[in-house]
Amino acid sequence: MSEDVLPKESGRLERLSPEVKLAVSLIPFLGPAFTKYIDDVVERRRKKLRTIEKEFTQASGEDIAALFERSTADPRFGDLLTQTIDEAQRTASERKLRALGRLLALGFDDDEPEHLDEIELMFLAVADLESAHIRVLDLLVRRGTRHGGVGDYQIASLFPNGTTVAYPILKTLERHGMAGPQSPPSADPDQVIKWVPWDFGIYVHQKLLAEGTS
């Protein structure tokens, strides 16, 4: 976010999370390498917030000051902003960061409580996704339909360890109502199970995750 909007920071250690501060307290000597590490952490956090700011501004047509004003006036939206900033610090996915910025724009454009209910559901889903989940959802939405699924072997081919990692990813999407198996599991371990994108997954992908989403 803009330099004049970011909070002033008094020192390197004050910029770190409580967990990192605890780790620092257990290290007897902090040399130049660690100082460089702290500076790198701070800069990466700034870049993540700038990505969210850019996506919010492009999607809403509003500046960052308007976002903070709305967050102050509406505590529920303010909580969403706080959660979004916290989540941004935990992800390495650029697409997820952009999705979080777009999500704030959706919430900013409509302050109806029922609409915010949906925005919060979308946030919970996106917060649980990382690059691997987004790749799988991409595949399901682009190659499958609500009534025509993608074989689990195709999904597994995205990853070096195949179904070992593909199924935990699929189960995360299923837990959030974004995708699911087209037919019940079979007793035959070699039977192909097709997975389909559900309406909520298609909606989240279209609004937040699709490349070129405005």
Side-chain angles (χ1 to χ4, degrees):
M1 296 184 178
S2 303
E3 293 293 334
D4 58 341
V5 175
L6 288 169
K8 300 299 182 182
E9 296 160 320
S10 59
R12 287 189 175 91
L13 294 182
E14 283 69 21
R15 306 174 191 182
L16 303 179
S17 67
E19 293 80 6
V20 175
K21 289 180 182 178
L22 176 60
V24 170
S25 70
L26 300 176
I27 300 175
F29 173 72
L30 303 180
F34 189 79
T35 299
K36 186 176 184 303
Y37 161 75
I38 294 176
D39 289 339
D40 182 62
V41 169
V42 172
E43 182 56 29
R44 280 188 279 118
R45 289 183 173 184
R46 288 181 181 273
K47 286 181 179 178
K48 290 177 179 181
L49 293 177
R50 290 188 186 108
T51 296
I52 291 178
E53 175 190 10
K54 178 181 177 181
E55 290 300 322
F56 167 78
T57 300
Q58 288 183 345
S60 69
E62 299 285 349
D63 61 20
I64 200 67
L67 175 63
F68 286 128
E69 289 173 3
R70 166 73 188 282
S71 300
T72 302
D74 183 346
R76 187 177 177 186
F77 186 80
D79 287 342
L80 177 65
L81 175 61
T82 299
Q83 292 169 343
T84 299
I85 292 174
D86 288 344
E87 188 58 40
Q89 305 310 316
R90 289 189 284 268
T91 185
S93 170
E94 194 72 15
R95 284 182 69 182
K96 180 173 176 176
L97 289 171
R98 294 196 296 269
L100 291 171
R102 295 164 185 165
L103 183 73
L104 288 175
L106 288 178
F108 186 91
D109 287 341
D110 190 341
D111 59 0
E112 291 296 324
E114 295 81 4
H115 185 74
L116 281 177
D117 288 342
E118 294 185 2
I119 295 296
E120 288 168 347
L121 286 175
M122 294 172 72
F123 171 81
L124 291 175
V126 171
D128 221 10
L129 305 184
E130 291 301 336
S131 295
H133 304 93
I134 297 171
R135 287 175 64 195
V136 171
L137 186 60
D138 261 343
L139 180 66
L140 295 177
V141 171
R142 297 184 190 284
R143 296 194 183 177
T145 67
R146 185 64 180 84
H147 305 288
V150 178
D152 54 4
Y153 69 93
Q154 291 178 271
I155 299 167
S157 69
L158 295 175
F159 306 100
N161 287 301
T163 56
T164 301
V165 295
Y167 264 88
I169 292 169
L170 288 166
K171 287 300 182 180
T172 297
L173 296 177
E174 185 179 20
R175 184 171 68 252
H176 287 286
M178 305 177 80
Q182 190 170 357
S183 58
S186 169
D188 180 2
D190 295 324
Q191 180 178 350
V192 174
I193 298 176
K194 291 188 175 182
W195 285 73
V196 297
W198 288 344
D199 291 341
F200 185 61
I202 295 171
Y203 180 75
V204 170
H205 187 273
Q206 175 189 13
K207 289 292 186 180
L208 304 178
L209 294 167
E211 292 298 331
T213 301
S214 61

